[in-house]
Amino acid sequence: MAASFRSPHTELIHVLQSACSGELAAGYAYRGHWKSVPPGAIRDRIQRIEGEEWHHRRAVQGLLGKLGSGPSKTREAGFWLIGKTIGMLCHVGGRFIPMYGAGRLESANITEYERAAVLAREAGYDDMIDCLLTMAEVEWEHERFFREQIAEHWMFRILPMWIAPPPKHTIRSSYTEAQPIGDRQGTAEAATPNF
Ligand SMILES: [Fe+2]
Ligand SMILES: [Fe+2]
């Protein structure tokens, strides 16, 4: 079957719907996560991260509204369940797995918002770009926090550590150099859904 082509506008909606549902799952997963951690700085930081994910979700909902769209009901239902399930499992899964899963997924979040920013430019929504890149930068901070929590863990003798993202400032600098999505079909589809 021939590959279907979606306009930047349609693709941007698709990416933001994915991000919106991912933020829903993230919010509930981190709520369970921080409640499973003893009181202290780490628990407080994860609780703040939960708040930042809800903030992202509201921002993404606003962007979808500007695009004449909204969240995908099917996707929202699925990710609501995923978030609630992960949030409960954090209470029985020990310290390492929730940190590891969160770090890997936050790494994917960075690239998803970077991709959305490129699509916004291509679709003519320049006013969305700063918001999207700012969310990518916040996801960068999340990734670094979770990676630092487990960087010395013995489990990394067994499990592969995900590739650390490039320095935070490159989110802005590489965006300005980014090729149009249409010129790099294939890599675009490889982006992982937000969480
Ligand atoms: Fe987020
Ligand atoms: Fe995040």
Side-chain angles (χ1 to χ4, degrees), residues 98-121:
M99 296 283 189
Y100 180 83
R104 286 196 81 107
L105 290 161
E106 293 289 357
S107 177
N109 294 351
I110 302 167
T111 55
E112 184 165 56
Y113 282 123
E114 287 178 313
R115 182 171 173 234
V118 174
L119 286 164
R121 180 177 65 192

Side-chain angles (χ1 to χ4, degrees), residues 6-182:
R6 289 194 285 210
S7 69
H9 181 274
T10 303
E11 191 63 25
L12 179 58
I13 289 173
H14 179 77
V15 171
L16 292 180
Q17 285 177 331
S18 170
C20 190
S21 303
E23 298 291 1
L24 175 66
Y28 285 124
Y30 289 139
R31 184 171 296 173
H33 193 174
W34 69 256
K35 287 182 177 178
S36 73
V37 173
I42 293 173
R43 177 184 169 115
D44 292 347
R45 177 63 176 126
I46 300 170
Q47 188 174 10
R48 283 201 306 279
I49 289 174
E50 183 206 338
E52 288 166 353
E53 307 300 13
W54 294 125
H55 176 74
H56 286 176
R57 179 167 160 81
R58 289 190 293 275
V60 172
Q61 286 171 328
L63 297 179
L64 282 168
K66 285 186 184 174
L67 293 167
S69 186
S72 156
K73 286 183 180 164
T74 311
R75 216 178 156 82
E76 292 280 295
F79 277 72
W80 177 88
L81 187 61
I82 289 170
K84 288 282 190 179
T85 303
I86 294 173
M88 281 192 291
L89 291 176
C90 286
H91 292 272
V92 294
R95 179 176 181 274
F96 178 79
I97 293 297
M99 296 283 189
Y100 180 83
R104 286 196 81 107
L105 290 161
E106 293 289 357
S107 177
N109 294 351
I110 302 167
T111 55
E112 184 165 56
Y113 282 123
E114 287 178 313
R115 182 171 173 234
V118 174
L119 286 164
R121 180 177 65 192
E122 290 177 25
Y125 292 96
D126 287 5
D127 57 326
M128 296 185 180
I129 293 168
D130 185 63
C131 172
L132 291 164
L133 292 179
T134 300
M135 289 195 284
E137 289 169 335
V138 173
E139 305 295 14
W140 189 96
E141 296 286 352
H142 295 174
E143 188 277 344
R144 184 177 66 168
F145 168 75
F146 289 114
R147 181 158 39 87
E148 287 177 351
Q149 294 309 305
I150 52 173
E152 305 298 325
H153 201 281
W154 64 268
M155 280 287 283
F156 283 122
R157 291 180 214 145
I158 305 167
L159 279 171
M161 175 67 106
W162 64 94
I163 297 170
K168 186 178 175 184
H169 69 83
T170 64
I171 290 172
R172 302 264 168 185
S173 59
S174 60
Y175 164 76
T176 58
E177 298 159 7
Q179 296 172 5
I181 298 287

Side-chain angles (χ1 to χ4, degrees), residues 175-195:
Y175 164 76
T176 58
E177 298 159 7
Q179 296 172 5
I181 298 287
D183 290 354
R184 46 193 171 96
Q185 288 292 327
T187 54
E189 292 301 324
T192 309
N194 186 291
F195 184 74

